[in-house]
Amino acid sequence: MSFLSNLFKFGSQNMAIDLGTANTLVYVQDQGIILNEPSVVAIETINGVKRVKAVGDDAKMMMGKTPDTIEAIRPLRDGVIADIEIAEEMIKHFIRKVHGKRNLFRYPEIVICVPSGSTSVEKRAIRDAASNAGASEVHLILEPMAAAIGADMPVTEPVGSMVVDIGGGTTEVAVLSLRGLAYTTSVRTGGDKMDEAIVSYVRRHHNLLIGDATAERIKKDYGIAVVPEDGIGETITLKGRDLVNGVPKEITINQAHVAEALSEPIGAIVEGVRIALENTAPELAADIVDQGIVLTGGGALIRRLDEHLREETGLPVSIAEDPLTCVAIGTGRAMEDPIYRGVLMTA
């Protein structure tokens, strides 16, 4: 049996997958990141039979614009698998896309990162999805650890360092030392909650209903953590459906409104950081005063968030070099580099 499995493994490229709520990134051994697509699957139902119509970028385009027969689904919610069958199809599609059609017999080893707050059932769901998608071995790595490795933090040394990874579904706050997590907390607030906050703010104050895609665009282009100095900032034009008259309508809001809308989810993230700092051992806390806090994940790109955290905690806060790909790069390094092998686990 081992001969056969070795035969199948021969020539297959090992992969590291950052299975995110918003985007999935695939890192291939010795090649780096070669796939970065939204975690969306479009399912088409014809005569009661469901089949996958599109995955990734193509499916993201369909979000909120599908006819009755097509449904665009995000199989991950809050960083964990909500729909295992569709998640499996998505992982299969991405593996096939990376390996190409020719490698029918290839069974790669796969490392997948999971949120630190996931239960053993959730971890098993991720492992099973990858196994069924054609992995010979599946290892898991905790998301904050992967983010810290990707951000070049000294995780193997006896020095405390703190990482805040703001993803689509969750924000992971962790204190790391000696290849392990000294303390970790997972706040179920991330990019999705920020989008929802913008939607509900516009609905409450302007009686306008906007879609998630519009809210996400506002967050990416104009999202700011504190009210701009002049109290207004840039002005933004929004299109949506007027709830009073029921007709499409266009309004303008400014960045101060966006800051107000985002204050609640950002407050939850700050609270998570505070709780982590309160529960940190004194020696590690002393190291964090020197090392500071590193922000990774897409949420780190929100303007002046580092400034806001600096004011709230009084600690130095920096943003990782490439926050969006940090976790995928860290997962890949953990797979390639024997120094980090100790951080991988099996479900």
Side-chain angles (χ1 to χ4, degrees):
M1 184 60 208
S2 66
F3 167 71
L4 267 178
S5 63
N6 283 340
L7 183 72
F8 283 142
K9 268 190 223 173
F10 177 72
S12 75
Q13 296 156 310
N14 295 340
M15 296 154 115
I17 300 177
D18 169 16
L19 202 59
T21 310
N23 297 299
T24 296
L25 289 86
V26 177
Y27 179 108
V28 172
Q29 196 166 350
D30 306 325
Q31 287 181 34
I33 294 173
I34 59 171
L35 184 132
N36 180 357
E37 290 199 17
S39 307
V40 185
V41 181
I43 301 284
E44 188 172 27
T45 311
I46 302 172
N47 302 331
V49 179
K50 291 186 174 185
R51 66 177 196 88
V52 176
K53 183 167 176 66
V55 179
D57 288 321
D58 303 336
K60 176 85 183 267
M61 304 285 236
M62 302 179 187
M63 289 281 283
K65 299 184 181 183
T66 54
D68 290 348
T69 51
I70 299 171
E71 193 184 358
I73 300 170
R74 292 175 65 178
L76 287 104
R77 277 261 163 259
D78 297 337
V80 293
I81 290 182
D83 191 322
I84 188 156
E85 286 172 10
I86 291 173
E88 218 169 278
E89 286 296 332
M90 187 175 79
I91 296 172
K92 257 185 211 157
H93 172 88
F94 289 144
I95 291 177
R96 230 177 274 138
K97 197 166 181 178
V98 168
H99 263 346
K101 292 272 196 310
R102 64 191 190 284
N103 304 329
L104 229 71
F105 287 122
R106 293 193 168 179
Y107 288 83
E109 264 184 54
I110 292 184
V111 180
I112 297 187
C113 65
V114 291
S116 58
S118 38
T119 62
S120 54
V121 175
E122 290 164 344
K123 285 177 186 165
R124 212 168 298 135
I126 289 179
R127 189 199 60 195
D128 292 348
S131 301
N132 298 344
S136 61
E137 270 180 68
V138 182
H139 296 288
L140 302 179
I141 180 172
L142 293 173
E143 217 165 276
M145 179 57 86
I149 293 171
D152 287 326
M153 291 165 78
V155 289
T156 54
E157 293 162 29
V159 177
S161 38
M162 187 175 202
V163 66
V164 179
D165 176 39
I166 307 168
T170 56
T171 293
E172 307 281 326
V173 184
V175 178
L176 308 123
S177 169
L178 287 170
R179 289 199 204 109
L181 299 175
Y183 178 80
T184 173
T185 175
S186 190
V187 187
R188 299 243 159 160
T189 302
D192 289 352
K193 284 278 191 296
M194 292 179 194
D195 296 347
E196 283 167 29
I198 292 172
V199 171
S200 66
Y201 179 87
V202 174
R203 185 179 184 155
R204 264 200 323 272
H205 292 79
H206 300 277
N207 280 328
L208 187 81
L209 196 59
I210 57 171
D212 290 342
T214 305
E216 189 184 0
R217 201 191 71 241
I218 295 166
K219 179 191 69 183
K220 281 183 176 169
D221 297 346
Y222 304 101
I224 192 163
V226 287
V227 177
E229 271 105 20
D230 60 357
I232 298 166
E234 297 174 50
T235 52
I236 307 147
T237 309
L238 285 184
K239 299 182 188 78
R241 194 178 85 225
D242 188 346
L243 288 166
V244 180
N245 304 325
V247 292
K249 182 179 148 187
E250 185 175 85
I251 61 158
T252 53
I253 61 169
N254 59 43
Q255 265 186 313
H257 295 147
V258 178
E260 197 183 324
L262 294 178
S263 62
E264 201 179 315
I266 286 173
I269 292 168
V270 172
E271 192 53 38
V273 173
R274 274 223 188 94
I275 291 168
L277 289 168
E278 278 170 22
N279 290 294
T280 306
E283 285 298 326
L284 293 172
D287 289 339
I288 293 170
V289 174
D290 301 334
Q291 301 277 331
I293 299 172
V294 177
L295 297 180
T296 68
L301 296 171
I302 286 193
R303 295 173 211 179
R304 298 178 65 185
L305 179 60
D306 52 338
E307 215 176 288
H308 181 59
L309 259 176
R310 204 172 299 137
E311 280 170 21
E312 293 288 329
T313 59
L315 295 169
V317 179
S318 59
I319 297 174
E321 205 171 298
D322 198 346
L324 283 166
T325 57
C326 247
V327 175
I329 290 170
T331 311
R333 274 193 203 154
M335 171 184 71
E336 291 175 343
D337 197 333
I339 298 174
Y340 299 122
R341 267 290 171 178
V343 303
L344 300 180
M345 36 179 208
T346 49

